[in-house]
């Protein structure tokens, strides 16, 4: 997983470095970095929103197929594939944006956790020497989750001890500005009456709000109502929010601040997606598209019908593919009866069952 983080973290690190170069403040740079990455990933969020709307249209049809062929899995699969092919629906379309965002997320975390790597651009072997020196020689207690921030504070306290860094690197490290409204974002919050305690609490609250907004504006919240899995989903929501609060007390405040920024921007994103790509409107549009495809598949054929007096006459009717198959089957039976006198084997009408 570290390998994936480093691969995606390397290019994203240049973005973070550029943001810091513009504002010369770690917290503000973190906000700009989070904002730009959200904008870059917005097309994937749009694709996910559209996929959710499509799924809402096809879910009743999928449920119907599952019930109708519950005892015949092979036929069930065939009908599913026929449905997807007929209407050009890709059931895995919504998974692709998530799969793309997953490794990018690790890259984002790598950038946030490693300011020496991505802002100061110090080689990893030099950073590792400094960490070993700080922990073993100076007996400093470094954060296990975010050791680079702890190392920055150690260098600021005693720059002369870290001979593995050159003068330029020492200058850049000691000038990293972690101040945000008078609060040091490199410090780790404690459960006490201090300004930093606000960061973990806001991290948890904004996570709850962002999850609520995402469910409300995407329509998935309504799907949870009456669903046995809804209670578990709510438990996971509040459980993960509580976990983020606990975890935020164990890392430098800058990490918690990143979560707050990310959650707030996610709330805004959910609102904008709902305004521009409303799930209900998308579902209606896609339902109309499906109906148009279904209508286009109908064909005009000439069939014989009897009027009220019993006379046969030929009329033109619009039939669906299913109705055409039934008509062909009936014609085949008539030919069999004419050829074999009704003694031949007759095809079974699977559609009539």
């Amino acid at each position: 997983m570290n390998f994936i983080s480093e691969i995606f973290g390397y290019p994203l690190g240049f973005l973070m470095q550029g943001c810091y170069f513009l504002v010369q403040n770690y917290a503000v740079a973190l906000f700009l970095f989070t904002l730009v990455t959200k904008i870059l990933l917005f097309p994937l969020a749009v694709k996910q929103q559209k996929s959710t709307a499509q799924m809402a249209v096809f879910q009743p049809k999928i449920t119907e197929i599952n019930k109708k062929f519950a005892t015949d899995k092979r036929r069930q699969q065939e009908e599913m594939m026929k449905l997807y092919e007929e209407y050009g629906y890709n059931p895995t379309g919504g998974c692709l944006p998530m799969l793309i965002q997953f490794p990018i997320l690790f890259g984002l975390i790598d950038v946030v956790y490693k300011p020496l790597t991505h802002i100061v651009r110090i080689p990893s072997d030099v950073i590792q020497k400094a960490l070993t020196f700080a922990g073993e020689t100076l007996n400093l207690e470094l954060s296990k989750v975010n050791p680079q921030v702890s190392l920055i504070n150690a260098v600021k306290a005693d720059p002369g001890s870290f001979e593995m860094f050159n003068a330029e690197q020492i200058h850049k490290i000691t000038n990293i500005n972690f101040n945000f409204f008078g609060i040091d974002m490199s410090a780790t919050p404690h459960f006490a009456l201090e300004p930093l305690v606000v960061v973990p609490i806001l991290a948890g609250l904004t996570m709850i709000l962002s999850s609520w907004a995402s469910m409300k504006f995407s329509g998935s919240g309504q799907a949870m109502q009456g669903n046995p899995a809804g209670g578990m989903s709510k438990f996971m929501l509040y459980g993960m929010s509580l976990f983020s609060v606990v975890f935020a007390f164990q890392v430098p405040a800058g990490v918690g601040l990143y979560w707050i920024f990310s959650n707030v921007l996610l709330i805004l994103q959910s609102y904008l997606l709902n305004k521009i790509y409303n799930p209900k409107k998308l579902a209606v549009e896609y339902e109309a598209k499906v109906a148009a495809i279904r209508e286009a598949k109908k064909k005009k054929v000439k069939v014989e019908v009897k009027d009220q007096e019993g006379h046969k006459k030929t009329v033109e009717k619009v039939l669906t593919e299913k109705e055409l198959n039934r008509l062909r089957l009936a014609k085949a039976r008539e030919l069999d009866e004419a050829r074999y006198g009704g003694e031949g084997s007759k095809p079974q009408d699977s559609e009539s069952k």
Side-chain angles (χ1 to χ4, degrees):
M1 200 62 72
N2 287 336
F3 178 69
I4 296 175
S5 300
E6 290 174 1
I7 289 178
F8 285 88
Y10 185 78
L12 289 170
F14 284 103
L15 175 61
M16 179 63 176
Q17 185 184 32
C19 291
Y20 185 83
F21 177 79
L22 286 174
V23 296
Q24 295 296 308
N25 182 284
Y26 180 76
V28 179
L30 203 57
F31 174 75
L32 290 178
F33 172 77
T34 310
L35 177 62
V36 173
T37 52
K38 287 291 184 186
I39 293 173
L40 292 175
L41 294 174
F42 189 74
L44 294 177
V46 171
K47 187 173 179 63
Q48 181 71 37
Q49 185 92 336
K50 290 182 176 180
S51 179
T52 302
Q54 288 182 5
M55 189 62 187
V57 173
F58 279 96
Q59 191 58 52
K61 297 176 176 61
I62 294 171
T63 303
E64 182 182 351
I65 291 173
N66 286 334
K67 288 182 178 179
K68 187 175 181 179
F69 304 104
T71 58
D72 189 348
K73 296 299 180 184
R74 190 175 72 85
R75 181 67 185 279
Q76 188 182 88
Q77 189 66 26
E78 288 175 354
E79 291 297 321
M80 287 288 191
M81 295 304 295
K82 185 179 177 181
L83 177 70
Y84 299 152
E85 184 178 353
E86 187 176 4
Y87 296 107
Y89 174 65
N90 182 8
T92 61
C95 299
L96 182 61
M98 295 180 66
L99 290 175
I100 294 175
Q101 290 182 71
F102 191 69
I104 293 176
L105 175 63
F106 283 98
L108 293 173
I109 293 173
D110 191 73
V111 172
V112 174
Y113 282 25
K114 298 178 178 179
L116 290 178
T117 301
H118 300 291
I119 294 179
V120 187
R121 291 286 162 178
I122 298 176
S124 57
D125 58 329
V126 178
I127 294 174
Q128 189 56 51
K129 286 180 182 178
L131 289 170
T132 302
F133 173 76
E136 297 179 0
T137 306
L138 299 181
N139 294 319
L140 297 176
E141 186 177 348
L142 303 175
S143 169
K144 294 181 180 179
V145 180
N146 198 218
Q148 286 199 13
V149 173
S150 299
L151 182 60
I152 291 172
N153 289 332
V155 174
K156 286 183 175 183
D158 187 12
S161 298
F162 292 87
E163 296 179 354
M164 66 287 297
F165 296 133
N166 59 42
E168 183 182 359
Q169 290 170 341
I170 290 289
H171 175 74
K172 288 181 178 180
I173 294 172
T174 54
N175 281 279
I176 293 179
N177 184 8
F178 284 106
N179 182 65
F180 187 63
F181 290 105
I183 303 174
D184 183 9
M185 289 293 116
S186 68
T188 301
H190 297 91
F191 197 74
L193 291 176
E194 61 176 15
L196 276 180
V197 77
V198 175
V199 174
I201 294 173
L202 285 178
L205 289 176
T206 54
M207 184 175 182
I208 292 175
L209 289 173
S210 66
S211 299
W212 172 83
S214 179
M215 289 188 294
K216 176 180 173 61
F217 293 130
S218 68
S220 58
Q222 294 180 353
M224 285 173 57
Q225 296 179 3
N227 190 330
M232 180 59 70
S233 300
K234 290 180 180 179
F235 174 79
M236 289 295 293
L237 166 61
Y238 295 114
M240 289 301 295
S241 300
L242 180 61
F243 174 77
S244 68
V245 173
V246 174
F247 191 71
F249 276 109
Q250 303 175 38
V251 294
V255 176
L257 189 66
Y258 167 72
W259 293 344
I260 294 170
F261 289 155
S262 183
N263 291 333
V264 170
L265 290 174
L266 184 59
I267 294 171
L268 179 61
Q269 175 182 286
S270 299
Y271 176 77
L272 289 176
L273 281 173
N274 182 65
K275 282 292 184 184
I276 304 172
Y277 301 100
N278 185 276
K280 292 182 179 179
K281 290 182 179 179
L282 286 174
V284 170
E285 290 174 4
Y286 202 76
E287 185 68 62
K289 181 180 177 181
V290 169
I293 294 173
R294 192 185 300 119
E295 190 68 28
K297 289 181 179 293
K298 293 181 178 180
K299 296 180 180 179
K300 288 184 178 181
V301 294
K302 292 182 179 181
V303 295
E304 286 187 348
V305 297
K306 291 182 179 180
D307 57 19
Q308 294 179 349
E309 299 177 357
H311 300 127
K312 289 184 178 181
K313 63 177 182 179
T314 302
V315 296
E316 195 175 61
K317 293 184 69 175
V318 177
L319 302 179
T320 64
E321 193 66 32
K322 190 173 182 179
E323 291 169 332
L324 281 171
N325 288 335
R326 287 181 176 176
L327 191 63
R328 293 187 189 108
L329 190 59
K331 191 69 176 177
R333 283 177 173 172
E334 289 180 7
L335 291 173
D336 281 347
E337 288 178 359
R339 186 178 301 171
Y340 302 110
E343 297 178 0
S345 60
K346 297 180 180 179
Q348 294 184 353
D349 187 355
S350 60
E351 297 291 346
S352 63
K353 293 183 179 180

